[in-house]
Amino acid sequence: MNPLKKLFKQTFVYGLATVLPRMLSFILVPLYTSVMAPGLYGKVSVIFAWFAIFNVVLAYGMETAFFRFYSKSNEKNTVVSTSLISIVITTAVFVCIAFLFFGSLSQFLEIDKKYLGYVISILALDAIVVIPFAWLRANEKPMKYAIIKILNVGINLGLNVLFLLLLPMLFNENPDGILSNLYKSNFQISYIFISNVIASGITFLLMSELYRKTKWVFDKVLWNSMMKYAMPVMVAGIAFSINEVFDRVLLEKLLPEDVSETKVGMYSACYKIALFMTLFATAFRMGIEPFFFSHSTSENPQKAYAQITNYFVVLGSVILLSVVVYADVLKTIIVRDPAYWEAMSIVPIIVLASFFLGIYHNLSVWYKVTDRTKFGAYISIIGAILTIVINIVFIKYFEYMASAVATLVAYGTMMFLSFYFGRKYYPIPYNFRKIGFYLALSISFSAIAFYGFNRNLIVGNILLAIFLVLLYKLENDNLRKVFLKNGNKNN
């Protein structure tokens, strides 16, 4: 099968593993926003922001290091067992320290003690399945990966619906019923985390096969090499998490106390509308990361990398314009309570920022395949500094709009820096004219539809139609070559 066709096939399956669960989780946004006021939802959003940061710390770049060393090693079992032992030990140490300093951790993170135990449990369970999931991707088992990911979110979703919707309904109808005894009033946040603990626990049980069948060997020399590779990835991951979620923490801390959690709730809810671009970029990255490593030693891999980036920009431009044009339609589906809609002005900015981030991930191939992961750390740190500085300086004047612009500036800067250094250390023949054309046109049409015509759906549809016609005229032959002609030659 043609390598690019195989890539897109795997990306589609990984897309199901990423997009379908997230699409199911969209139900949680209207559910949460219907049972919780913006302030309470803001509190949940801040806790989930800490989740994102600690997930990176507990994985400490070992997933990417695993891909790199597993793909080029003849002793694959040693790579697997060394990685598993490392993750298990560091997770155990984290759990011990977290419970030993429980009160101090609760105070530092400003997370109520009644929620912190759930948070620690979820973080630990998620950490110890990092390598098993990476093993599935490295061995090209996207279907199993997708099924378990979807099942995880399905369980989480079902339990959230049970706890937040059905139990209160049953209690109101029959307070003395059997299931009604499980219901507690004002217990929404705990129910959310209990659902996560159960889903993560079942996921671990399903992924534990790799632990059982692995022949346990710990190679200290290999581990040192993996850690040397992984540490810059971890630093980059932490910086990336700061770019992605730390604005919620800063909004809560820097806005007046009487409105901070409400503003965070509005911002976080409307931020979800931009998730379509994040889903696409994540699914694409899940497919291309193993591809990058497995084809790094092939003949002229740069040409394939350039084609992949071209296709990403083409498809991403369509998603950017579509989400912006239909933002008002999406908000009635995803964020049903009008109390949250005040923050809708952030949507085009966040969608574009996510697009830039996706392009950055495509451009980042150069430092991954040349083992210059420290550049990824440097670039992400610069993005994190921009995020923090812009938020601290401007939140008091522009509230959540400052956070949205900070995200766009950070990801845009990271994208340009990665391109600049990549051109120096690992030149890739990108089609700048095509990339620039689609970026400029989709951004211009988005701005015209959303800001210029105040989200007028008729104007937006006309602009989207013009864009799609141009896309068809310019790209139809190229896409057919990838998905049809090359595939027929090899089948």
Side-chain angles (χ1 to χ4, degrees), residues 1 19 30 46 55 76 97 110 113 141 151 268 280 300-301 325 402 408 415 436 476 486:
M1 182 182 290
V19 175
V46 171
N55 279 333
K76 296 189 183 300
I97 293 174
E110 297 184 356
K113 289 182 180 180
K141 296 180 181 293
L151 184 62
S268 299
F280 164 66
N300 194 17
V325 166
L408 177 62
M415 176 182 70
N476 181 49
N486 286 337

Side-chain angles (χ1 to χ4, degrees), residues 326-341:
Y326 294 109
D328 278 343
V329 177
L330 293 172
K331 78 179 181 184
T332 62
I333 300 170
I334 300 169
V335 188
R336 295 178 181 176
D337 188 344
Y340 290 83
W341 293 352

Side-chain angles (χ1 to χ4, degrees), residues 213-474:
K213 73 179 187 180
T214 296
K215 296 178 181 178
W216 294 99
V217 179
F218 186 79
D219 188 326
K220 187 177 180 180
V221 175
L222 171 64
W223 183 78
N224 286 333
S225 298
M226 293 182 75
M227 291 300 292
K228 184 178 179 181
Y229 185 91
M231 282 299 99
V233 177
M234 182 189 72
V235 173
I238 293 172
F240 167 72
S241 296
I242 290 173
N243 292 330
E244 188 176 26
V245 300
F246 203 62
D247 49 5
R248 279 75 152 182
V249 177
L250 292 173
L251 280 168
E252 185 191 39
K253 291 183 180 297
L254 297 176
L255 289 175
E257 189 174 344
D258 59 330
V259 300
S260 61
E261 289 182 344
T262 298
K263 295 291 184 179
V264 173
M266 293 175 177
Y267 176 72
S268 299
C270 291
Y271 201 107
K272 292 287 187 182
I273 297 174
L275 196 58
F276 289 98
M277 181 63 77
T278 305
L279 295 174
F280 164 66
T282 302
F284 207 90
R285 180 173 62 85
M286 297 291 277
I288 64 174
E289 197 166 54
F291 179 88
F292 284 160
F293 291 125
S294 63
H295 285 75
S296 61
T297 57
S298 64
E299 185 179 351
N300 194 17
Q302 292 92 332
K303 182 178 179 181
Y305 298 157
Q307 286 181 286
I308 290 167
T309 301
N310 289 341
Y311 294 129
F312 178 84
V313 172
V314 168
L315 297 173
S317 296
V318 175
I319 294 172
L320 168 65
L321 185 54
S322 299
V323 172
V324 172
V325 166
Y326 294 109
D328 278 343
V329 177
L330 293 172
K331 78 179 181 184
T332 62
I333 300 170
I334 300 169
V335 188
R336 295 178 181 176
D337 188 344
Y340 290 83
W341 293 352
E342 176 189 306
M344 279 296 295
S345 55
I346 70 164
V347 172
I349 299 172
I350 297 300
V351 179
L352 180 58
S354 298
F355 192 14
F356 284 169
L357 178 63
I359 297 173
Y360 164 76
H361 282 307
N362 278 268
L363 298 176
S364 69
V365 59
W366 71 267
Y367 67 73
K368 291 180 179 178
V369 300
T370 61
D371 293 344
R372 291 185 171 92
T373 52
K374 62 182 181 181
F375 278 92
Y378 298 153
I379 293 170
S380 295
I381 288 171
I382 291 171
I385 292 171
L386 287 171
T387 295
I388 293 171
V389 170
I390 294 173
N391 273 285
I392 290 175
V393 173
F394 293 105
I395 276 178
K396 60 183 177 182
Y397 302 110
F398 303 105
E399 298 181 344
Y400 46 69
M401 185 59 74
S403 298
V405 172
T407 304
L408 177 62
V409 171
Y411 290 156
T413 302
M414 290 167 60
M415 176 182 70
F416 282 112
L417 287 175
S418 185
F419 163 71
Y420 174 79
F421 288 110
R423 186 172 58 174
K424 179 178 179 182
Y425 291 101
Y426 192 79
I428 295 175
Y430 297 114
N431 189 331
F432 298 110
R433 183 159 35 178
K434 178 184 290 188
I435 290 173
F437 172 75
Y438 286 120
L439 273 175
L441 194 63
S442 60
I443 293 171
S444 299
F445 279 9
S446 297
I448 292 170
F450 196 91
Y451 299 112
F453 285 88
N454 195 28
R455 293 178 264 181
N456 184 289
L457 196 56
I458 296 175
V459 174
N461 277 311
I462 293 172
L463 292 173
L464 180 59
I466 293 172
F467 188 86
L468 291 175
V469 169
L470 283 172
L471 181 66
Y472 179 80
K473 292 288 186 181
L474 297 173

Side-chain angles (χ1 to χ4, degrees), residues 102-178:
F102 195 81
S104 300
L105 187 62
S106 172
Q107 188 175 7
F108 173 75
L109 299 179
E110 297 184 356
I111 297 176
D112 198 303
K113 289 182 180 180
K114 61 185 177 182
Y115 309 134
L116 187 57
Y118 299 131
V119 171
I120 295 169
S121 301
I122 296 165
L123 287 171
L125 288 168
D126 289 349
I128 56 180
V129 296
V130 166
I131 298 303
F133 273 122
W135 183 88
L136 290 179
R137 291 173 60 198
N139 286 275
E140 298 185 355
K141 296 180 181 293
M143 287 305 299
K144 184 174 181 179
Y145 180 98
I147 290 169
I148 295 175
K149 284 286 187 179
I150 292 169
L151 184 62
N152 171 278
V153 178
I155 293 169
N156 192 2
L157 172 63
L159 291 173
N160 271 276
V161 172
L162 171 65
F163 289 138
L164 299 178
L165 198 62
L166 297 182
L167 284 185
M169 190 184 305
L170 292 171
F171 179 81
N172 291 330
E173 292 178 356
N174 183 12
D176 298 321
I178 296 176

